[in-house]
Amino acid sequence: MDLEIQARIKELSEKHGAENLVIILGGAEAEASGLACETVTNGDPTFAGPLAGVQLGLLCYHIFEPEVKDLIDPVVYDEQVSMMEMVLDVEEIIAEVSQYRNQYCQFL
Amino acid sequence: MTLPVVKGASYILVQAPSTLFQYGSTQTQTRQKDPNAEYLKQIPGHLRSFEACVGYAPNQAYIGNLLPDELGNIAEPWYDNPVADASRFGAQGEIMPEDEFLGLVKMYDSFDLVKLTQEFTELVKAKLKIHPIFKDKDLKALSEGVEFNEIDELVNKHVADGLYFEHKLIGCVKQAHDTDPNLNAHVMLENSMTKASGILALLNLGRLGYDITDIEYVIEASEEACGDVNQRGGGNFAKAMAEGAGCVNASGCDVRSFCAAPAHALINAASLVKAGVYQKVAVIAGGAVAKLGMNGKDHIAKGVPLLEDCLGAFAILITANDGESPIIRTDLVGRHTVGTGSSPQAVITSLVTDPLDRGNLKITDIDRYSVEMQNPEITKPAGAGNVPEANYKMIAALGVKRGDLERAEIMNFVEKHGMPGYAPTQGHIPSGVPFIGPALKLMKAGQIQRAMIIGKGSLFLGRMTNLFDGTSFVMERNAGIIEEAAAGQDDTALKTMVADAMRQLAEILLKED
C-alpha cells in the first residue's frame, strides 16, 4: 500500500478513532487486496510505511463483498462496479481480504 | 482534404543494466535509505546478459521480429525459453547494448556535459563503426575521451553523475548549473538518455528506408521534462531529437499526458496532416531511466530475472494518404473527458464504445485492440496482474452489458480480439503504440481490417488533479482511394456541369432575343 495512503489512514484513525473507520478496497487483484487489508489491520508487512508495526485492526472490506455491496443503491452499483465483477476473480479477492479481516480486525 | 496514414514505425530497446542498478528510482530510493541494503547487493546476480535480452521473445516482438500472436506459441516463462534465431536488429527497430548507447549519449550531448574515458571511447567507436546507421562523421562527436582521473574527480566532487558499463565507472554526466535543481547532474543524465534513445528511434526509421530529412514536424511524447529553474518543463525534446537525427526540415513540440501522451500525440499528428498543415509528421518518444528495475524487489523475491532492464523508445511516421498505408480515422476518436468519471465502466465506454457508436461499429468489428500492452511476466510477479488481459476482459464485459456479446463469450473475445502483452513497463511505451507497427504489417497484408489504439494515463500521479486520462482512435486498412485526386475529379465534373448549364442558359437567352 502506498506510503502516503498509509499515513492518511493512520492520521484519520487518530483523529476519528479506529472504531469509527471502515476501509473499502477497490483492488483488482487478490494478493494486492489482501496485502492492503493486512496493512490496515495488522500493520504494513513490508515494514516500509507509517503503518509498519502499527496494528490498527480496522474494519476492511472489498467493494465486491456482500456486506458493502448490499448497502449500495443497486442502480449506482450497476453503473460503477458491476462490469468489473465480470472481469475480476471476485471469489479469490473476497477469500483473501476476509482472511486478514477475520484474523486481525478488532471491531468485528 | 487528405486522410492521414501510418506510413512507418520503429521500436527501440536499449539494454541498460548498469544504469538500472545506478539510477532506476527503486534503486536510488533504496540506496538513499540504506546504501548497504540487501536488495542492492542481490541486483548484480539477477541481471541478464545482452544475448539473453535479445533472445527474450517479448523483446523480439517489440522490435518487429515476431508478431504478438506468435508469443502464444512460445512456452512460458519466456525468460527461460529464448528465441533461437534472435537478432538485435528487427524488421521494425533494434535492441542496443549499453556500451553503444552510452556512446550515443556522448554523441548527442550539445553542452559538453558528457565525458567518457579514452579507453571506453575507443571501444565504443569500434563497435559503432560497424553499426548500420552511424558513419565516420557521426562518430567524430565521440571525440577522443578524457583521462579516468578527470571523471573520477567530477563524480567524487558531486558535480557529475557517473556513467557505468559492466558496473565500472567509464564516464559521467556533469551538472549543467551549480544551483539549479532542474539542471543537476541526475536530471541531465535522465534527459540525455531520453534524448539519445528518441534519436535512435528516429534514425531507425531512416534505416528502415523512410526519408527522415523531409519530416516537417516532430511531436515527442515521453514522460520526462526538460527545462531550468524558471521553466521546469519548458521542453522541447522533439526539436532536440530532430536535430540529433538530422531532420533539418522539422520543427516540433512536446505533448505530455503521462502514459496517454503517445495516443494524444498521434491524434494531433493525424489532425495536422488531415488539415494540410504538414504532410509528414513523426511522433516519437524516448525512454525513462527512472523506471528501470521499477519492480525489481518483487522480481528478485520471486526468483524472476530483472526483466525491466531496457529503455524503450519509438518513432511513428504519419503522412498524407498514399493509398496503401493504414488510415487513422480521426472521426473515430475516443476521449476521457473531465466529466466522464473514473469507474472502469465509464472509462471503457468513453474510450471504446463511444467512438464505435459514432461509426456504427460493434465491439466485434475491431479485429484487434491495442491497450496497455505491458508484458505480464513483468507485472504479474509485482502484483499488478496481466494488464492487457484485464483490459480485454473489461471491453468484453462492457460488450456483455450492451448486449453485443454473451457472458460465456468473454474469454473467446479476449482470445480473438486481444493479444499477449510484450512491451517493457516504461509507462508511455506500452500504452497502445506497440501494436501500430504490427497493425501496419497486418493491414497491408490484408489480414486485419481495423485496430483500436488506446492510451491511458494516471494524471493523479502529478498531484494536480485526481483525474485519470485516456484517448483512443481507430486505425483502418487503406481502401486504396486517394481522396485528393478524387476530390479534384469531383471539382472538374462540377465545374463542367455548371459551365454546361450556363452555356445552355446563354443559348436560351440568345434564342429569346
Side-chain angles (χ1 to χ4, degrees):
Chain A
M1 184 186 268
D2 194 284
L3 307 189
E4 224 167 290
I5 294 178
Q6 288 192 34
R8 284 177 72 180
I9 290 173
K10 192 168 175 236
E11 198 186 307
L12 285 169
S13 69
E14 281 161 4
K15 194 173 167 190
H16 301 288
E19 70 281 10
N20 295 318
L21 221 58
V22 180
I23 305 293
I24 311 285
L25 303 173
E29 209 250 345
E31 195 187 332
S33 303
L35 195 69
C37 184
E38 188 181 359
T39 306
V40 299
T41 50
N42 193 41
D44 180 1
T46 66
F47 287 93
L51 291 180
V54 181
Q55 291 171 303
L56 292 179
L58 300 178
L59 265 176
C60 176
Y61 295 93
H62 195 280
I63 189 83
F64 289 155
E65 295 191 75
E67 291 90 331
V68 177
K69 183 179 172 179
D70 293 347
L71 298 174
I72 300 171
D73 179 342
V75 178
V76 174
Y77 194 88
D78 185 56
E79 250 177 44
Q80 303 282 327
V81 189
S82 65
M83 187 188 92
M84 292 309 285
E85 284 187 330
M86 283 188 256
V87 176
L88 303 177
D89 193 333
V90 176
E91 280 175 23
E92 201 190 350
I93 290 173
I94 293 181
E96 193 80 9
V97 171
S98 56
Q99 178 201 325
Y100 288 107
R101 184 176 59 244
N102 294 334
Q103 201 173 343
Y104 300 118
C105 178
Q106 297 164 18
F107 306 103
L108 276 176
Chain B
M1 197 178 275
T2 180
L3 288 175
V5 300
V6 176
K7 185 80 176 170
S10 83
Y11 294 95
I12 301 302
L13 294 172
V14 174
Q15 199 217 12
S18 291
T19 309
L20 175 160
F21 180 68
Q22 296 292 339
Y23 300 115
S25 65
T26 301
Q27 289 69 255
T28 53
Q29 285 168 359
T30 304
R31 196 172 289 120
Q32 228 167 10
K33 267 190 171 173
D34 175 11
N36 299 312
E38 196 52 35
Y39 166 62
L40 296 172
K41 289 180 197 157
Q42 290 174 316
I43 288 177
H46 286 80
L47 291 168
R48 57 183 170 175
S49 66
F50 181 63
E51 289 66 34
C53 175
V54 168
Y56 188 50
N59 292 351
Q60 285 294 303
Y62 186 73
I63 63 164
N65 284 345
L66 284 177
L67 282 168
D69 281 349
E70 290 177 284
L71 288 170
N73 306 328
I74 297 170
E76 294 174 35
W78 291 321
Y79 54 79
D80 276 342
N81 294 285
V83 176
D85 50 351
S87 163
R88 66 167 279 194
F89 291 102
Q92 286 178 323
E94 75 163 290
I95 305 172
M96 184 172 259
E98 193 161 31
D99 51 355
E100 291 179 27
F101 180 68
L102 295 175
L104 257 60
V105 173
K106 169 65 191 164
M107 276 162 61
Y108 300 114
D109 162 34
S110 306
F111 279 79
D112 197 25
L113 299 173
V114 181
K115 305 280 180 199
L116 299 177
T117 63
Q118 290 159 346
E119 194 189 2
F120 185 75
T121 303
E122 220 166 283
L123 178 127
V124 163
K125 216 178 260 183
K127 283 191 81 176
L128 287 175
K129 222 177 159 73
I130 52 170
H131 189 285
I133 289 176
F134 305 101
K135 307 277 173 289
D136 284 346
K137 66 176 172 51
D138 302 315
L139 301 182
K140 278 188 185 148
L142 276 169
S143 73
E144 300 306 316
V146 299
E147 296 280 346
F148 174 81
N149 290 345
E150 187 182 325
I151 290 164
D152 199 36
E153 202 181 323
L154 288 166
V155 173
N156 286 331
K157 277 189 192 161
H158 300 289
V159 293
D161 271 7
L163 293 173
Y164 299 81
F165 178 61
E166 291 175 345
H167 306 293
K168 287 191 205 85
L169 181 70
I170 49 81
C172 67
V173 179
K174 290 194 299 177
Q175 63 184 22
H177 194 278
D178 55 353
T179 56
D180 187 337
N182 300 324
L183 295 173
N184 69 24
H186 182 71
V187 173
M188 294 318 298
L189 182 142
E190 281 198 347
N191 284 353
S192 300
M193 290 192 174
T194 299
K195 178 182 149 185
S197 52
I199 291 171
L200 185 62
L202 260 175
L203 288 172
N204 262 272
L205 272 184
R207 178 178 74 83
L208 297 170
Y210 304 98
D211 186 359
I212 59 169
T213 58
D214 61 357
I215 291 172
E216 295 167 86
Y217 204 70
V218 175
I219 306 179
E220 206 271 345
S222 70
E223 295 181 287
E224 308 305 332
C226 64
D228 65 359
V229 70
N230 292 316
Q231 37 268 316
R232 187 180 313 125
N236 171 330
F237 272 108
K239 213 159 174 179
M241 291 174 182
E243 178 194 26
C247 303
V248 288
N249 291 302
S251 182
C253 73
D254 299 343
V255 163
R256 294 290 180 267
S257 187
F258 283 89
C259 310
H264 279 291
L266 283 158
I267 294 164
N268 275 296
S271 307
L272 286 168
V273 169
K274 189 169 184 185
V277 178
Y278 303 118
Q279 300 285 307
K280 204 169 176 182
V281 180
V283 171
I284 61 174
V289 170
K291 294 191 184 82
L292 291 170
M294 194 165 51
N295 296 294
K297 287 182 180 173
D298 290 316
H299 290 161
I300 287 183
K302 290 179 182 160
V304 176
L306 290 166
L307 300 171
E308 292 167 304
D309 58 353
C310 287
L311 296 171
F314 66 83
I316 310 234
L317 194 58
I318 309 295
T319 69
N321 195 355
D322 60 0
E324 54 181 44
S325 303
I327 290 160
I328 291 184
R329 290 283 302 266
T330 48
D331 57 330
L332 301 182
V333 166
R335 70 187 200 281
H336 180 274
T337 66
V338 170
T340 297
S342 59
S343 75
Q345 211 159 314
V347 171
I348 300 291
T349 301
S350 69
L351 297 181
V352 178
T353 51
D354 282 356
L356 292 184
D357 287 346
R358 231 176 291 134
N360 290 320
L361 294 168
K362 291 200 298 284
I363 277 181
T364 47
D365 287 333
I366 298 292
D367 298 298
R368 291 303 168 97
Y369 289 88
S370 183
V371 291
E372 296 160 292
M373 299 307 296
Q374 279 101 334
N375 174 357
E377 273 191 1
I378 296 175
T379 55
K380 278 160 95 176
N386 184 333
V387 179
E389 191 183 89
N391 272 280
Y392 295 134
K393 281 186 191 167
M394 281 194 263
I395 296 170
L398 185 62
V400 173
K401 284 193 82 73
R402 283 160 51 95
D404 292 353
L405 287 176
E406 293 294 325
R407 188 164 178 167
E409 290 174 308
I410 289 182
M411 285 322 288
N412 285 343
F413 177 91
V414 173
E415 186 77 19
K416 200 170 162 205
H417 298 268
M419 52 202 146
Y422 57 97
T425 46
Q426 284 262 295
H428 55 299
I429 298 297
S431 194
V433 278
F435 187 61
I436 290 181
L440 172 62
K441 189 174 167 187
L442 291 167
M443 283 182 194
K444 275 192 160 179
Q447 288 173 281
I448 61 170
Q449 183 69 21
R450 286 185 206 93
M452 181 179 268
I453 310 297
I454 304 169
K456 292 189 197 167
S458 306
L459 305 190
F460 45 84
L461 296 174
R463 307 293 195 266
M464 284 294 107
T465 170
N466 273 310
L467 288 174
F468 164 88
D469 188 39
T471 191
S472 65
F473 60 88
V474 171
M475 202 171 144
E476 193 171 76
R477 190 176 170 216
N478 200 314
I481 301 161
I482 302 176
E483 327 56 33
E484 268 187 333
Q489 282 159 11
D490 285 346
D491 278 358
T492 314
L494 188 67
K495 280 175 190 164
T496 311
M497 278 168 67
V498 173
D500 283 349
M502 295 295 280
R503 200 175 299 115
Q504 283 167 15
L505 180 69
E507 280 168 10
I508 293 166
L509 290 172
L510 280 170
K511 276 180 193 165
E512 282 179 0
D513 281 347

